[in-house]
Amino acid sequence: MQTIDKVEKVILLGSGALKIGEAGEFDYSGSQALKALKEEGVYTVLINPNIATIQTSENIADKVYLLPVTPEYVEEVIKKERPQGILLAFGGQTALNCGVKLYQSGVLEKYGVRVLGTPVQAIIDTEDREKFVEKLDEIDVRTIKSEAVTSVSEAKRVAHELGYPVIIRAAYTLGGLGSGFCDNDEELDALANKAFSYSPQILVEKSLKGWKEVEYEVVRDRYDNCITVCNMENFDPLGIHTGESIVVAPSQTLSNAEYHKLRKLAIQIIRHIGIVGECNIQYAFNSETDDYRVIEVNARLSRSSALASKATGYPLAFVAAKLALGYTLDQIGEMGTPNSAYVAPSLDYLICKIPRWDLSKFAGVSRQIGSSMKSVGEIMSIGQSFEEIIQKGLRMIGQGMHGFVGNRDLEFGNLEEELSHPTDLRIFAIAKAFEEGYSIDRIYNLTKIDPWFLGKLKNIHDYSLVLSKYDKIEDVPAAVLQEAKRLGFSDFQIARFVEDPDGNIEKESLRVRAVRKKNNVLPSVKRINTVASENPELTNYLYVTYDGTEHQVPYFK
């Protein structure tokens, strides 16, 4: 396969050192891109000072510069290496901001370096909040009512015009840095001043706190062929940053009509902006009124992109790098999966991402979470029911929890306060609320978490009561053990609910394992791929737009 754009040497900008909001997912994206470029015989120069990553390992990049990802240092590398192209989309916000400055200062033009993939103007149109709104107004796509400002006094004026509550967002920042909700002038003064320390421009938006937050990963080539690879839904309502929220893929509470409405809009928006490669689009959605607002478009590989790639088996960064060289989706061919790059993955399983916080390590720090990221990492859980993936995921986050239920030594002084003002422990507060007899409606009114999710969590709580009815592990029927496993209960949890909680739980969990094996209730390992399921009840359909027509492919709920 020959590259359409004759490029012999490119610079790839990394993300810089690992930090909150900009972690190992960009190592994944960068290494996938370098792999794709190497396959095409392109000489790669990587600028990424984080030495604790795979992409800086031997034989990944041809040359590595351990320098800060700043315009001054990158210009010096360009001057020395004389590349034909530069890739900006694989190093998070750091790389994107650096690339925009190089373009605006004339450095790229001076040395004849082309930006491969998404044009810089498209990046500016998505990063500058005011231009972004104007761009979407051109195609009558709804955005949150807002205004970009450059001073605190202007921010206050806009807040009065929109009416409190409002949300402050800083332009050209990552992880919601400097963002937050304001209910009055005093809160706005404090937050706006903080936001201006990160960015010269902030956006004052009307708050849609409580709406659903949904996102789509979209891929487009330069000939306008476009597919949506994966869509995700936040467990938490709007108001909590995606990086702080539990995220489920594919979306579970959207109807098929709602799913396709937002998907169609995503393709329309990405084509209008002119993205080439991969991007992420985020919506606020109100299912009661069928209303939506576009929150933002990330014209780059994001934290969600790494999750979507691993969850679906579709290597988004690998494909994006090929598209940046000028290939079309149909030319990329098979990528170690049964389908070519222009066929969207089909999922007959669920994925759950749960953030990990280390807030307990810092004395006096607020545990509340919101529109600015505090999480330092995340886990991904895969299974065939929501109950299974949430319980498995909560065991993986390293907080000493055994799942949604069966945890000890967790007390909440004011349960309603804990539910209505989210912290890193809110999901365990929901478990406590079920223990104390709260209804799904009552928890929904306090949290605005969709009743579908709350209903699934209540299934776990209710089944813990079923297990508690048995006095001996040997008395638990095989069917009950099977259902407990479907709902994500570990052997440890089962032992805790069946046997005396003061006993040796580790020893009792081994007895659960023995009883399970005797009753042939055994785990299985399944491979992620894009082969369609034969179960028609799981199947919805996606429509892949290619060569001006739409092709139907299965998509699973």
Side-chain angles (χ1 to χ4, degrees):
M1 187 187 292
Q2 297 295 314
T3 53
I4 295 173
D5 288 344
K6 298 298 181 181
V7 178
E8 295 178 358
K9 181 187 282 190
V10 302
I11 284 180
L12 188 143
L13 297 185
S15 64
L18 298 188
K19 48 192 175 290
I20 291 176
E22 201 157 2
E25 63 272 10
F26 299 118
D27 177 43
Y28 177 84
S29 300
S31 56
Q32 285 281 314
L34 291 165
K35 176 183 173 184
L37 294 167
K38 181 178 282 289
E39 191 175 278
E40 297 301 324
V42 178
Y43 188 92
T44 54
V45 179
L46 172 66
I47 303 177
N48 182 352
N50 176 25
I51 60 172
T53 57
I54 296 300
Q55 59 183 304
T56 55
S57 298
E58 190 177 5
N59 298 324
I60 301 295
D62 291 295
K63 187 175 285 189
V64 178
Y65 282 86
L66 301 181
L67 296 171
V69 184
T70 64
E72 297 75 22
Y73 281 101
V74 174
E75 181 179 0
E76 290 302 312
V77 176
I78 290 173
K79 189 187 302 183
K80 180 180 177 182
E81 295 291 341
R82 298 292 173 150
Q84 290 92 41
I86 188 169
L87 292 161
L88 310 178
F90 302 92
Q93 198 68 44
T94 297
L96 218 56
N97 290 350
C98 181
V100 169
K101 289 176 183 176
L102 290 168
Y103 172 81
Q104 291 175 333
S105 66
V107 169
L108 299 182
E109 184 179 7
K110 176 182 176 181
Y111 294 101
V113 180
R114 288 187 294 126
V115 174
L116 303 178
T118 299
V120 175
Q121 189 55 53
I123 295 170
I124 294 171
D125 287 343
T126 57
E127 291 295 315
D128 185 305
R129 298 288 180 175
E130 190 169 22
K131 289 181 179 179
F132 178 64
V133 171
E134 290 172 357
K135 194 74 176 175
L136 295 196
D137 283 344
E138 294 172 4
I139 54 174
D140 296 322
V141 169
R142 300 172 200 165
T143 52
I144 300 173
K145 195 173 181 182
S146 61
E147 188 174 327
V149 299
T150 55
S151 70
V152 176
S153 60
E154 286 183 79
K156 197 173 292 184
R157 172 187 59 79
V158 174
H160 289 167
E161 290 174 3
L162 296 176
Y164 287 108
V166 297
I167 182 172
I168 298 291
R169 295 183 188 274
Y172 297 98
T173 59
L174 181 80
L177 198 64
S179 70
F181 292 90
C182 309
D183 292 320
N184 52 53
D185 283 355
E186 185 180 349
E187 291 179 4
L188 185 138
D189 278 336
L191 194 57
N193 278 301
K194 180 182 176 183
F196 279 125
S197 70
Y198 300 120
S199 173
Q201 181 196 79
I202 67 171
L203 195 72
V204 183
E205 294 180 352
K206 181 65 180 173
S207 171
L208 299 179
K209 205 170 185 177
W211 287 32
K212 293 180 184 180
E213 188 165 351
V214 182
E215 54 188 306
Y216 286 70
E217 298 294 325
V218 188
V219 175
R220 175 183 174 269
D221 66 28
R222 65 180 181 176
Y223 296 109
D224 231 16
N225 301 312
C226 200
I227 64 170
T228 53
V229 171
C230 182
N231 97 304
M232 301 176 236
E233 176 179 10
N234 284 18
F235 171 86
D236 299 289
L238 192 70
I240 297 178
H241 192 282
T242 299
E244 299 286 89
S245 177
I246 295 170
V247 176
V248 180
S251 57
Q252 296 301 298
T253 72
L254 296 182
S255 68
N256 214 35
E258 290 168 342
Y259 168 81
H260 284 293
K261 173 183 178 176
L262 297 181
R263 176 197 165 273
K264 185 177 180 181
L265 279 167
I267 291 177
Q268 182 184 359
I269 291 164
I270 269 51
R271 284 176 168 163
H272 183 66
I273 292 173
I275 303 292
V276 177
E278 194 274 347
C279 72
N280 167 273
I281 181 167
Q282 297 177 12
Y283 296 99
F285 186 73
N286 187 330
S287 56
E288 294 178 3
T289 60
D290 199 36
D291 198 4
Y292 75 91
R293 296 290 186 276
V294 176
I295 300 172
E296 65 179 358
V297 172
N298 287 313
R300 56 178 172 81
L301 278 293
S302 68
R303 190 165 175 160
S304 299
S305 307
L307 175 74
S309 296
K310 295 168 188 175
T312 64
Y314 187 104
L316 284 164
F318 183 91
V319 171
K322 293 287 182 104
L323 297 179
L325 293 177
Y327 288 114
T328 58
L329 284 166
D330 64 308
Q331 291 174 321
I332 296 173
E334 294 186 5
M335 308 161 296
T337 67
N339 295 319
S340 295
Y342 66 86
V343 177
S346 302
L347 311 185
D348 58 355
Y349 53 88
L350 298 178
I351 303 101
C352 176
K353 179 218 82 175
I354 303 178
R356 175 186 173 145
W357 297 271
D358 279 335
L359 301 179
S360 58
K361 291 184 177 180
F362 304 97
V365 71
S366 169
R367 299 191 80 111
Q368 288 199 358
I369 58 175
S371 60
S372 182
M373 278 179 59
K374 294 180 180 178
S375 62
V376 295
E378 60 193 28
I379 62 89
M380 182 178 77
S381 172
I382 305 176
Q384 294 188 301
S385 72
F386 178 77
E387 295 93 337
E388 178 188 355
I389 60 174
I390 197 72
Q391 292 237 77
K392 284 166 66 175
L394 291 173
R395 287 195 285 273
M396 291 164 63
I397 57 175
Q399 289 184 317
M401 302 303 174
H402 302 292
F404 179 65
V405 292
N407 303 302
R408 300 291 165 84
D409 304 322
L410 268 181
E411 295 296 332
F412 301 99
N414 186 330
L415 192 53
E416 294 211 351
E417 178 75 12
E418 191 76 24
L419 292 170
S420 57
H421 294 84
T423 70
D424 58 322
L425 298 175
R426 179 161 74 167
I427 191 162
F428 302 112
I430 294 172
K432 188 69 173 178
F434 283 131
E435 284 180 29
E436 297 192 5
Y438 281 50
S439 66
I440 289 174
D441 286 343
R442 186 178 177 187
I443 297 174
Y444 168 73
N445 289 331
L446 290 166
T447 64
K448 297 303 178 185
I449 294 170
D450 192 278
W452 187 91
F453 291 121
L454 296 176
K456 296 294 183 181
L457 293 177
K458 191 171 188 302
N459 289 346
I460 299 171
H461 165 75
D462 290 348
Y463 213 75
S464 71
L465 302 180
V466 171
L467 292 170
S468 297
K469 293 178 181 178
Y470 295 92
D471 295 324
K472 287 180 62 180
I473 290 167
E474 287 74 14
D475 294 339
V476 182
V480 172
L481 287 173
Q482 186 76 47
E483 180 64 6
K485 287 298 174 182
R486 190 188 72 80
L487 296 174
F489 283 83
S490 67
D491 290 350
F492 187 97
Q493 282 176 297
I494 294 170
R496 173 156 279 178
F497 286 109
V498 173
E499 293 284 342
D500 183 352
D502 296 325
N504 186 334
I505 298 298
E506 296 288 353
K507 182 179 177 181
E508 307 307 338
S509 64
L510 292 176
R511 283 174 55 207
V512 173
R513 182 170 182 260
V515 172
R516 272 200 305 101
K517 291 178 74 173
K518 182 179 177 181
N519 287 285
N520 204 34
V521 180
L522 303 172
S524 61
V525 178
K526 299 183 179 181
R527 179 181 177 184
I528 291 178
N529 58 37
T530 55
V531 176
S533 168
E534 296 179 358
N535 185 351
E537 294 181 1
L538 292 173
T539 309
N540 285 314
Y541 289 94
L542 291 178
Y543 297 88
V544 178
T545 303
Y546 178 63
D547 281 345
T549 60
E550 289 201 319
H551 304 272
Q552 192 181 61
V553 297
Y555 181 79
F556 300 99
K557 287 281 279 184

